[in-house]
Amino acid sequence: GESVGLHLPTLSVQEGDNSIINCAYSNSASDYFIWYKQESGKGPQFIIDIRSNMDKRQGQRVTVLLNKTVKHLSLQIAATQPGDSAVYFCAENSGGSNYKLTFGKGTLLTVNP
Amino acid sequence: DAGVIQSPRHEVTEMGQEVTLRCKPISGHNSLFWYRQTMMRGLELLIYFNNNVPIDDSGMPEDRFSAKMPNASFSTLKIQPSEPRDSAVYFCASTMDRGAQHFGDGTRLSIL
């Protein structure tokens, strides 16, 4: 049936644990992927990106993994902190002269102290 | 460094009124995007500009919506006349070529 609204996947973790947020994409032509964090009342904030010629990229406490075979992207957050609580979006770009990003529905991460 | 700046942060107005949202992109960025975010539909791209030229406006809901970018440091999104269903958070983002888009903190629009 028709959804009343977006039902965000949720992930609840304890402070200090590692978090893994997953994202599936559908366009096999996508060659650039970005993870964003959105806190309440703010705009999406860039976390980390990865191009399709890579499988893994690390930042500060975050790692993005890309599996092009199954069109899957994940964001790993190490030692999750209460300040990490937010909605996380993956976004993809299909390359060429197209500058548009296609955003996923988002995952709500809640970190319990 | 200054990020993307949007104004106003909040706007409450009566239906039928004209609404103008403003955006200053990050200096040096050559692409600018307008998005709308609602609980029902998530984050939707309305229109984007490259080098001040509108490239794709397929997401603009209807003729009541218009966007302009008169120069590289300023863009407006106008709704005339506004309707209650236009209530949403409107975001502006900018980027250099096909890099990561950087978002402003949005304008929360309520049409009564």
Side-chain angles (χ1 to χ4, degrees):
Chain A
E2 203 171 285
S3 61
V4 175
L6 286 179
H7 298 286
L8 292 181
T10 58
L11 176 64
S12 184
V13 301
Q14 290 298 123
E15 181 177 0
D17 287 352
N18 296 333
S19 302
I20 299 177
I21 301 171
N22 296 303
C23 179
Y25 64 95
S26 56
N27 188 350
S28 57
S30 292
D31 66 353
Y32 179 54
F33 304 87
I34 309 171
W35 279 101
Y36 286 92
K37 171 187 180 184
Q38 187 175 21
E39 298 175 277
S40 180
K42 295 189 176 181
Q45 177 187 5
F46 170 84
I47 302 173
I48 191 168
D49 59 0
I50 188 168
R51 298 199 180 270
S52 59
N53 60 352
M54 302 175 69
D55 297 324
K56 178 179 179 179
R57 191 161 188 228
Q58 288 185 290
Q60 187 177 12
R61 284 200 306 117
V62 294
T63 301
V64 55
L65 299 177
L66 175 62
N67 185 331
K68 295 179 287 294
T69 302
V70 295
K71 296 201 283 289
H72 183 267
L73 195 66
S74 69
L75 177 71
Q76 300 178 2
I77 306 174
T80 315
Q81 303 168 0
D84 295 326
S85 295
V87 177
Y88 289 81
F89 294 94
C90 63
E92 60 182 294
N93 175 270
S94 58
S97 60
N98 178 9
Y99 290 12
K100 292 166 65 171
L101 290 178
T102 301
F103 283 82
K105 289 182 169 53
T107 296
L108 174 62
L109 174 66
T110 302
V111 182
N112 303 306
Chain B
D1 289 342
V4 174
I5 299 172
Q6 293 186 245
S7 65
R9 288 299 315 277
H10 303 273
E11 175 91 10
V12 180
T13 193
E14 293 186 345
M15 66 177 293
Q17 298 297 307
E18 178 179 289
V19 173
T20 300
L21 310 182
R22 297 173 175 80
C23 176
K24 177 178 168 55
I26 293 173
S27 178
H29 283 188
N30 62 358
S31 296
L32 182 141
F33 304 78
W34 281 102
Y35 290 87
R36 178 172 67 177
Q37 187 176 42
T38 62
M39 286 299 296
M40 288 290 292
R41 303 167 72 97
L43 197 60
E44 303 174 278
L45 177 65
L46 300 177
I47 185 172
Y48 84 91
F49 296 83
N50 182 247
N51 294 321
N52 311 339
V53 176
I55 302 299
D56 186 338
D57 65 354
S58 60
M60 294 287 261
E62 49 199 270
D63 292 345
R64 296 184 299 106
F65 285 68
S66 63
K68 294 182 180 179
M69 192 164 186
N71 57 62
S73 59
F74 184 66
S75 177
T76 59
L77 177 69
K78 188 172 292 187
I79 309 173
Q80 167 62 19
S82 57
E83 297 182 4
R85 61 191 167 121
D86 302 329
S87 298
V89 182
Y90 290 81
F91 288 104
C92 176
S94 70
T95 188
M96 184 64 191
D97 295 328
R98 204 160 64 88
Q101 294 177 21
H102 295 268
F103 286 75
D105 280 337
T107 294
R108 184 172 294 275
L109 178 63
S110 296
I111 308 297
L112 306 177

